[in-house]
């Protein structure tokens, strides 16, 4: 027979494991399956294995591109597609309200941190949001850093930190 202390510890461990897995567990491919307009994007997340990296993040924002827009990169090598889609994963939670608070006026736009990149990709709409865990936002086109398919690395400006 177990002591009451052992039983209490087991119950605590059980509830801790359940609560921690419920608050951070999501599967981006399962989420995107509910939205047929992102089926090609979802396919590339699986094919490039990015979904595994995404699923391990505690809070994340995905900039999703619909099937029509993603077709512009479909002929590129899978390694290049993976590099492009990596630019669509923000390792923090941003919903429309949080993004809007960072912009003075006008549209919310995105771009690469590489030098000579413009903010040419626009926010279309929020797709899904679980506050402080995951946000999926639809954008107008893939974010492509200058030279992302070239043999030389892309130049990223030094951070101010």
């Amino acid at each position: 027979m177990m002591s009451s202390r052992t039983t209490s510890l087991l119950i605590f461990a059980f509830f801790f494991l359940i609560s921690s897995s419920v608050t951070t567990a999501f599967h981006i491919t399962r989420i995107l399956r509910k939205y047929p307009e992102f089926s090609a994007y979802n396919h590339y997340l699986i094919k490039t294995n990015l979904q595994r990296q995404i699923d391990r993040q505690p809070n994340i924002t995905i900039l999703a591109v619909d099937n029509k827009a993603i077709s512009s990169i479909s002929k590129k090598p899978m390694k290049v597609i993976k590099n492009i889609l990596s630019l669509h994963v923000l390792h923090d939670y941003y919903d429309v309200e949080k993004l809007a608070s960072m912009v003075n006026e006008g549209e919310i736009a995105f771009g690469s941190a590489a030098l000579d990149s413009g903010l040419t990709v626009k926010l279309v709409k929020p797709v899904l949001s679980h506050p402080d865990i995951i946000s999926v936002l639809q954008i107008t086109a893939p974010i492509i850093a200058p030279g992302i398919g070239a043999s030389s690395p892309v130049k990223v400006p030094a951070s101010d930190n």
Side-chain angles (χ1 to χ4, degrees):
M1 190 168 214
M2 282 195 247
S3 72
S4 63
R5 182 170 188 233
T6 305
T7 303
S8 296
L9 286 173
L10 286 174
I11 291 172
F12 173 78
F14 174 76
F15 283 110
F16 176 78
L17 288 173
I18 293 227
S19 67
S20 65
S21 66
V22 169
T23 58
T24 61
F26 61 86
H27 299 281
I28 189 61
T29 56
R30 287 186 196 153
I31 290 170
L32 289 176
R33 269 190 225 138
K34 297 175 187 173
Y35 303 93
E37 65 270 32
F38 301 115
S39 61
Y41 182 84
N42 201 22
H43 166 77
Y44 287 127
L45 289 179
I46 294 166
K47 194 103 165 137
T48 61
N49 216 15
L50 281 173
Q51 95 283 356
R52 289 185 184 190
Q53 295 171 20
I54 291 168
D55 290 346
R56 287 193 294 249
Q57 299 301 315
N59 51 5
I60 200 157
T61 301
I62 305 300
L63 303 176
V65 183
D66 69 20
N67 294 336
K68 184 178 178 183
I70 199 86
S71 67
S72 66
I73 65 168
S74 64
K75 302 280 190 231
K76 297 188 181 297
M78 201 53 61
K79 183 178 179 182
V80 173
I81 291 173
K82 182 176 185 173
N83 290 339
I84 291 169
L85 294 185
S86 293
L87 298 175
H88 294 79
V89 179
L90 310 178
H91 295 276
D92 200 354
Y93 175 84
Y94 296 95
D95 56 17
V96 174
E97 292 78 23
K98 189 173 180 180
L99 290 169
S101 72
M102 303 162 92
V103 178
N104 291 334
E105 293 181 20
E107 294 179 302
I108 297 172
F110 302 91
S112 163
L115 295 175
D116 300 325
S117 287
L119 299 176
T120 58
V121 175
K122 308 288 187 219
L123 174 69
V124 175
K125 66 181 180 184
V127 176
L128 171 110
S129 177
H130 291 291
D132 299 319
I133 298 172
I134 185 170
S135 176
V136 178
L137 304 171
Q138 181 180 356
I139 56 175
T140 56
I143 299 169
I144 303 175
I148 201 160
S151 57
S152 60
V154 176
K155 296 178 185 172
V156 178
S159 72
D160 294 334
N161 295 336

